[in-house]
Amino acid sequence: MASLLQRSPARVPVSTRRALLALGGGNAVEWYDWMVYGLLASSIGPQFFPSSNPLSSTMSALAVFAVGFAARPLGAVVFGRIADRAGRKSVMLFSIGSMVATSLVITVTPTHAAIGTWAGVILLLSRIVQGVSTGIEAPLNSTYAVELAPEGHTARFGAIMGVYVQVGIVGASLVCFGVSSVMSQEALDSWGWRIPFAIGALAGGVFLWLRRALPETLESTADTAEEAPSGGPWAELARRKLALLTIVFVVAGAQAINYTWTTGLPNLARTTHHEDSSSVFAITTLSGVLVGCLYPLVGRIADRSRISRTFWISRLATAALVFIVLVYQGRGLTGFTVVMLVGAPVLAFTMGLYNTVAATLMPMHCRVTGVGIGYAVGVAGFGGTAPYVLLWFQDHGAAAAFPVYVAVLCLISVLLYRLAFARGAVRAGD
């Protein structure tokens, strides 16, 4: 371990650093906007889906959260193909631009009390557009990072993208904590939840401008020497069913863990166990900071020890450690704090590797499409639904079933990856 920490990477050119800033900063804003909705679901729900039961309103808001994930495959299919044929840059500009626009719409949309069911419809449509946007943003970011990375730095560059993702997640928690600390719970639930969305829209505008200078990588890496087969990306994906299925479950295991810690557990604490909102956001922020600090170490270990080996060992450990969620079964911030902080290293290894692993399973000429479809299906089917499933099991007295469900996803991802690796499906970085 000491040797891993002592050996430093080669110096990265300034132009590459600027590209990483524009790329990662935009990704941070995407994650910020996405997570703000999840963290404030218990405040948004009663405003757009009023009910006599606060848990029902929250679950309705989380259902809209899940619908946004269901729109991700559309973004992957439509814009992934554009990115693989015409280039990466224009699609990245569209991605962050649409997120900025919809965040502004959510900021100013009247509630159910003002315009009735149209409030929920507008919210739903905005989340669908954001789902399309993130459906291409995440796989395009991991693809771009792999293509931009110097030899031997693949996992490290992927980890840098993970740091930016964590900046977005932590930023969402920090802003929510700040807003909840300076106003009453009633004000937060009434109108204060709009402030974080407005902040996200403003930040997104900055990185939309910075992304205009991104270089194009579609024709600039050694992988282009491998000629694309006739029929385009779809013909290639048809021949790579195992790799595509592997990406689905690599993403599914990671995102089920991610949304459990960043969305499911905080909402469980605020609604079912009635914890103080500012305390929940503070603990969530601290956990996110710890995860972000661990990302560079994860990338360095993976580059030195092999991405494949680091992935499957850490994923097996995750399958066992996810049972820590059972510690938090009743009201009490101690249990919540233990789960959030003990789970942070697990989340770091899971989220710090999955994007890079997914990107290395596809050749360049269909990478964005393949990773995008696999990512979208994995997130929509298992990631975005995780907070809802967690609360559903809790509501039905079957809390112990949830970690079993997540552990099975992790084990399936390891089995598929080992099979894909044995058949030579890994394309880069190992």
Side-chain angles (χ1 to χ4, degrees):
M1 177 67 73
S3 63
L4 291 174
L5 295 174
Q6 290 167 2
R7 296 172 67 181
S8 9
R11 184 174 178 81
V12 177
V14 173
S15 59
T16 302
R17 293 180 188 177
R18 288 174 180 165
L20 286 174
L21 173 62
L23 178 69
N27 201 22
V29 170
E30 293 261 357
W31 277 87
Y32 168 90
D33 286 332
W34 198 259
M35 296 311 303
V36 158
Y37 182 94
L39 288 170
L40 294 173
S42 57
S43 296
I44 295 171
Q47 299 298 319
F48 290 85
F49 310 101
S51 170
S52 58
N53 183 353
L55 181 60
S56 296
S57 294
T58 300
M59 292 182 72
S60 295
L62 288 175
V64 172
F65 190 63
V67 169
F69 284 96
R72 289 191 175 193
L74 178 62
V77 169
V78 175
F79 295 100
R81 188 171 185 183
I82 294 174
D84 281 329
R85 293 169 65 94
R88 320 305 198 198
K89 180 178 175 180
S90 60
V91 178
M92 285 191 284
L93 291 173
F94 162 80
S95 173
I96 190 170
S98 59
M99 183 63 81
V100 169
T102 48
S103 291
L104 284 173
V105 170
I106 293 174
T107 301
V108 301
T109 297
T111 64
H112 185 277
I115 59 174
T117 56
W118 279 108
V121 171
I122 293 172
L123 180 66
L124 177 62
L125 292 175
S126 296
R127 293 299 294 176
I128 289 174
V129 173
Q130 291 187 339
V132 171
S133 171
T134 53
I136 190 59
E137 175 73 18
L140 190 52
N141 264 266
S142 57
T143 292
Y144 195 92
V146 166
E147 293 171 357
L148 197 65
E151 183 68 26
H153 288 63
T154 306
R156 220 162 296 169
F157 269 46
I160 290 173
M161 289 300 102
V163 171
Y164 279 111
V165 167
Q166 209 59 31
V167 168
I169 293 174
V170 171
S173 296
L174 193 58
V175 169
C176 289
F177 169 69
V179 171
S180 65
S181 297
V182 299
M183 61 177 57
S184 66
Q185 186 67 48
E186 292 74 18
L188 175 66
D189 292 340
S190 176
W191 60 271
W193 59 268
R194 298 179 186 272
I195 297 174
F197 286 100
I199 292 173
L202 291 173
V206 173
F207 287 103
L208 174 61
W209 181 80
L210 288 176
R211 280 193 174 186
R212 298 180 309 157
L214 282 174
E216 181 58 63
T217 62
L218 182 60
E219 301 298 337
S220 63
T221 70
D223 197 26
T224 54
E226 183 181 5
E227 298 228 353
S230 59
W234 302 113
E236 182 71 359
L237 290 178
R239 285 190 282 271
R240 299 186 180 279
K241 297 183 181 69
L242 175 60
L244 187 59
L245 183 63
T246 302
I247 292 172
V248 169
F249 280 94
V250 165
V251 173
Q255 293 293 355
I257 293 285
N258 178 45
Y259 283 104
T260 297
W261 256 259
T262 58
T263 303
L265 288 169
N267 275 291
L268 176 68
R270 294 181 65 208
T271 56
T272 303
H273 300 318
H274 307 290
E275 310 286 8
D276 175 67
S277 292
S278 59
S279 297
V280 169
F281 291 139
I283 295 165
T284 304
T285 301
L286 179 60
S287 174
V289 170
L290 180 56
V291 171
C293 290
L294 290 172
Y295 274 142
L297 177 62
V298 172
R300 181 179 288 275
I301 290 174
D303 277 333
R304 301 301 188 188
S305 300
R306 282 185 26 190
I307 295 171
S308 58
R309 182 186 294 117
T310 308
F311 166 73
W312 68 262
I313 291 176
S314 62
R315 188 58 68 93
L316 288 176
T318 298
L321 292 172
V322 70
F323 286 87
I324 189 70
V325 300
L326 297 178
V327 170
Y328 187 53
Q329 292 300 307
R331 185 169 187 177
L333 285 173
T334 300
F336 179 72
T337 303
V338 168
V339 172
M340 293 299 289
L341 297 185
V342 172
V346 178
L347 189 57
F349 270 91
T350 302
M351 294 296 290
L353 283 176
Y354 87 101
N355 268 327
T356 301
V357 168
T360 59
L361 283 163
M362 287 287 169
M364 187 177 192
H365 46 261
C366 66
R367 184 171 287 150
V368 179
T369 305
V371 174
I373 292 174
Y375 182 95
V377 173
V379 172
F382 305 99
T385 57
Y388 187 93
V389 173
L390 173 66
L391 266 65
W392 189 90
F393 278 131
Q394 289 281 339
D395 195 39
H396 288 76
F402 183 77
V404 174
Y405 162 73
V406 177
V408 168
L409 292 178
C410 292
L411 293 175
I412 292 173
S413 71
V414 171
L415 291 173
L416 288 172
Y417 183 79
R418 296 281 286 174
L419 182 59
F421 187 86
R423 295 187 180 181
V426 174
R427 315 297 298 181
D430 209 272

